[in-house]
Amino acid sequence: MIVIVLVLLVALLGGVGWYASGRAIHPGQNTYDWTLSDYPALDATSVRFKTGDGITLSGRFFPGTSRATIILSHGYGDNQNQMLPWAAFLHAAGFSIFTYDMRGRGESGGNAVTLGAREQADLVSTVDYLATRSDVDITKIGALGVSLGGSVSILAAAQDRRIAALVDDSGFSDAANVVSTSFQTFLHIPAFPFAPVTIRFAQWRMGANMNDVRPVARIGAISPRPIFIIHGKDDTAVPPDNSERNFAAAGEPKTIWWVPGAEHVRSFDVDPENYKQRVTRFFTDSLGL
């Protein structure tokens, strides 16, 4: 009887771990209430470029009145269209803007989301691409990311000093922690013992190590370049303690803005004018125009 119970428990762990890891690396595609055609002021040039490991990424360049350029990185399960509202207000302020589909998203290549393990190098490849453009000042590159994009931006900026200023909106402190949170938030089952098994399966299926996805361990390397962290106080998908840990580990200069009443990546929606003013001022002070 004990043997049967043990076999059933192992089967349950394996089944849940396999299912959850599949959802983690192959999320559904989110949709939006807007498209590029809703932003006539954004004159987009579509581009395609290669990552260091040969994946083709799809992006858009929006030339501004300044060669100072901000790279916008979307969230988990999203694509570059998510970032159009951010592109609109930063472009209106004069910045050039670059958006892109992460690997396994939108029109980019790749067959899996790797939760930041490979996406961080892809963002460095994005900076490499921008360095080839005569209409970009490579000494004035900023990065803004939301959710997964925020964490990826931290990891990329920690290794690439060409990223001169960073805004992280709702990023996580480490991938393993956010996977555990997801069990309770989305699957409504305890994280233990399922999360560790899921992480093992996900690492094997995506061919990457989750230990490489710990923004909290890398964010200190960004100093003395400025960091601005934004997080909604009502975020249950990536709880605010993720940004508490990231902010504590970051070096100066650093700023954090807690937005009351904002759920995950909803600070822009809750307080749009304040959000636009704070982010625009941060990049203007950090990069100039």
Side-chain angles (χ1 to χ4, degrees):
M1 184 67 178
I2 293 176
V3 173
I4 295 174
V5 171
L6 287 175
V7 170
L8 290 174
L9 286 175
V10 170
L12 177 62
L13 278 172
V16 171
W18 185 259
Y19 168 76
S21 66
R23 284 192 58 178
I25 66 175
H26 299 298
Q29 181 62 68
N30 292 334
T31 58
Y32 316 101
D33 294 331
W34 55 83
T35 65
L36 182 58
S37 63
D38 294 312
Y39 294 90
L42 293 177
D43 183 16
T45 299
S46 295
V47 302
R48 297 179 73 80
F49 59 100
K50 293 282 190 180
T51 66
D53 61 351
I55 298 295
T56 299
L57 299 187
S58 177
R60 298 178 185 136
F61 182 73
F62 305 93
T65 57
S66 169
R67 292 168 64 233
T69 303
I70 300 172
I71 305 169
L72 303 179
S73 298
H74 62 74
Y76 173 79
D78 293 288
N79 60 51
Q80 63 182 319
N81 281 348
Q82 180 191 25
M83 304 310 297
L84 286 171
W86 282 263
F89 81 81
L90 287 168
H91 184 265
F95 295 101
S96 294
I97 306 296
F98 191 82
T99 66
Y100 66 104
D101 293 325
M102 291 186 186
R103 62 173 59 214
R105 301 280 86 196
E107 297 181 3
S108 289
N111 58 10
V113 174
T114 68
L115 306 178
R118 300 193 191 283
E119 287 85 354
Q120 57 185 290
D122 294 347
L123 182 47
V124 173
S125 295
T126 302
V127 179
D128 290 339
Y129 164 73
L130 290 174
T132 69
R133 298 187 63 106
S134 61
D135 50 1
V136 170
D137 184 345
I138 198 61
T139 69
K140 294 185 176 183
I141 298 292
L144 180 153
V146 300
S147 191
L148 174 61
S151 299
V152 166
S153 297
I154 291 172
L155 292 165
Q159 60 189 287
D160 192 335
R161 301 194 70 81
R162 293 175 298 177
I163 299 175
L166 168 68
V167 175
D168 160 37
D169 183 339
S170 310
F172 55 76
S173 60
D174 62 274
N177 178 68
V178 82
V179 168
S180 296
T181 300
S182 296
F183 271 87
Q184 302 168 35
T185 304
F186 301 111
L187 298 180
H188 307 295
I189 58 176
F192 186 83
F194 301 109
V197 176
T198 297
I199 291 169
R200 291 279 186 176
F201 273 131
Q203 290 184 137
W204 176 70
R205 295 172 76 169
M206 68 187 185
N209 192 336
M210 211 74 86
N211 290 328
D212 295 332
V213 193
R214 301 193 66 243
V216 68
R218 302 297 309 282
I219 194 169
I222 298 173
S223 179
R225 291 164 290 157
I227 303 171
F228 180 23
I229 296 176
I230 303 169
H231 214 115
K233 294 292 285 183
D234 291 353
D235 191 341
T236 56
V238 179
D241 61 356
N242 283 268
S243 282
E244 289 177 2
R245 288 189 290 272
N246 284 340
F247 186 72
E252 296 289 351
K254 60 182 180 180
T255 308
I256 195 164
W257 177 32
W258 300 108
V259 183
E263 298 179 352
H264 189 53
V265 196
R266 290 291 179 266
S267 297
F268 189 1
D269 299 328
V270 167
D271 196 352
E273 293 309 312
N274 200 10
Y275 191 107
K276 293 175 186 178
Q277 290 173 9
R278 286 174 180 255
V279 171
T280 300
R281 186 184 314 118
F282 172 79
F283 280 125
T284 300
D285 290 347
S286 303
L287 303 177
L289 280 174

